Amino acid sequence: MEAEAPKTSVAKHDKALIFKFFPDFAKFIRENHLVDYIQEQIDLCRDFDLPIMKHIAHIPDDQLIEMGIPGHTEFLEAVENNTLKDLLEKNLKLWEDDQMGILGREDIAAEDLTMGTNIRKKTLLKFLPLYTNDPYEIIEIIKEIDAYDAEGLAAANNLYIKILTEKINTHIRFIEGIASTSPAAIFIWDFNEKREVYTNMKMPAILGYTAAEYEEMGDEIAARIIHPDDLARVTRYNEALHTLMDGETRTIDSRARQKSGDFIWLRSHMSVFKRDDTGSVRQVIGITLNVDEEKCNEEKLKQNTEELLEAQEMLSLGSYTLNIATDEVEATPEYFKIFGIPRGEFSREKVLANIHPSDRERVVRAREKAIKKNSIYDCEYRYVLDGKEKILWVRGEVYIRNGEKVMKGTVMDVTERRHIIQRLQRSEELYKEAQAMSHIGNWT
């Protein structure tokens, strides 16, 4: 329910802002001391550190005075002509309609109203001795200034409250809109009352229950819907919410039983909403999302990754991504196994040191050429590890990623394949030699 805004009208009776002594005093200031009058108010605003000053702090005084002359002149002339009621209503309307020039409607703070009224009165009183020494006239002028201040401040405060009320109501509608349209279950849990003091009623829909069925579970809700394997962990999580720090958010993933009997994954984020007088957590606000699809995809990805790594191990094949500038490499376990260098100790220098001396220069040239031309790096070379020689085939593509040059590719231990090819080639040679010696040929 929205708060009701107060009315902003000024005095009910026009006579409340009709003055006898104030008008001639205002005319005296306007005709003789206008610039000094404005400067005095600027100085007092700074001395009192008026909140509104932060919005115009960058403007020099001479410019502020020039900007203030029309407005202050209008005010003093309104006093002279006893039209303050009309001016007050006009200015309140400009404020309400957000048409105040360099200031926005919500730039005005409560202190600006109360302290601003006091500053204007102090400024007027400073010039009063220059106008008259008559005690009676001074007292009457002060009375009339106070009367205007009371009427003006009351009307301004009413409008200020109205603007705040509208802002609050807009915020409430915004929050309610989020809560009603969000697919997430949003709730506030009170530890003292041991119940939800607010909920957008999305949790029953997520799990397939009616609101009545969900409420009927009462204190048994956790035991009835949380997966048995997750129940102890969820219980510990809930108990630990009492230690939440302000601004901290804690998250937990758990499985919950739907009305159909199937379990789905939920993710809950919790933070402090309210503390009691002792500083202990009284209420927490929570958001719960259905992340079952995400979890299923995550499990599939994990399974695919495991199968890929198993396939790489069977083929003696490793994949890698190398940052050219930093020589940092991200690779699969088989990559490091092929080179025989642990992940934490891996470096390009160690790899180069193990490449057969006769192949090293060729490998370096091929790599540098690919990097320079952003092309394909494709090289087969002998690699000596613990005194044993094997043959590696490395292939990679150089490209730009996020402004950095990287090489992405694979490395494969082709020693056995190369030996098979060599044996086949040797068998072919021996076969041809036998034919030549026997003067035998074959044809198809």
Side-chain angles (χ1 to χ4, degrees), residues 340-379:
I341 304 173
R343 183 186 294 270
E345 302 174 14
F346 190 87
S347 70
R348 180 166 171 260
E349 289 74 16
K350 290 183 178 181
V351 172
L352 286 173
N354 291 337
I355 295 176
H356 194 286
S358 300
D359 297 340
R360 192 173 299 149
E361 184 178 349
R362 176 172 56 83
V363 171
V364 172
R365 284 200 310 271
R367 182 180 185 274
E368 290 177 349
K369 180 180 178 181
I371 293 172
K372 183 178 180 180
K373 295 186 176 183
N374 289 351
S375 59
I376 301 297
Y377 168 58
D378 194 326
C379 200

Side-chain angles (χ1 to χ4, degrees), residues 280-438:
S280 300
V281 177
R282 168 70 184 270
Q283 294 177 348
V284 291
I285 184 168
I287 297 177
T288 299
L289 291 158
N290 181 348
V291 294
D292 196 59
E293 184 176 353
E294 176 187 331
K295 283 288 187 178
C296 290
N297 291 337
E298 183 180 306
E299 187 62 32
K300 290 178 182 177
L301 178 61
K302 180 181 177 182
Q303 183 178 347
N304 291 340
T305 301
E306 290 175 352
E307 291 174 354
L308 174 62
L309 295 178
E310 289 176 3
Q312 287 192 349
E313 185 176 4
M314 292 172 62
L315 296 171
S316 192
L317 172 73
S319 55
Y320 69 94
T321 300
L322 171 69
N323 186 309
I324 303 298
T326 63
D327 264 344
E328 294 178 356
V329 64
E330 299 174 6
T332 58
E334 192 63 20
Y335 177 88
F336 299 103
K337 182 179 177 181
I338 290 171
F339 284 111
I341 304 173
R343 183 186 294 270
E345 302 174 14
F346 190 87
S347 70
R348 180 166 171 260
E349 289 74 16
K350 290 183 178 181
V351 172
L352 286 173
N354 291 337
I355 295 176
H356 194 286
S358 300
D359 297 340
R360 192 173 299 149
E361 184 178 349
R362 176 172 56 83
V363 171
V364 172
R365 284 200 310 271
R367 182 180 185 274
E368 290 177 349
K369 180 180 178 181
I371 293 172
K372 183 178 180 180
K373 295 186 176 183
N374 289 351
S375 59
I376 301 297
Y377 168 58
D378 194 326
C379 200
E380 187 176 295
Y381 54 83
R382 290 166 290 177
Y383 189 81
V384 182
L385 185 65
D386 298 330
K388 296 181 179 180
E389 182 181 289
K390 57 183 179 179
I391 302 172
L392 304 184
W393 174 45
V394 183
R395 180 179 172 84
E397 181 180 0
V398 179
Y399 64 99
I400 305 299
R401 183 184 68 180
N402 298 329
E404 295 183 318
K405 185 173 288 193
V406 297
M407 180 188 291
K408 186 173 184 179
T410 58
V411 59
M412 187 175 188
D413 185 342
V414 295
T415 307
E416 183 62 28
R417 187 182 69 173
R418 178 56 63 188
H419 289 168
I420 292 173
I421 292 174
Q422 289 173 348
R423 287 197 295 269
L424 289 173
Q425 290 174 339
R426 181 56 179 161
S427 296
E428 180 71 14
E429 292 172 0
L430 292 175
Y431 177 61
K432 289 179 179 179
E433 288 178 5
Q435 283 187 335
M437 291 173 63
S438 305

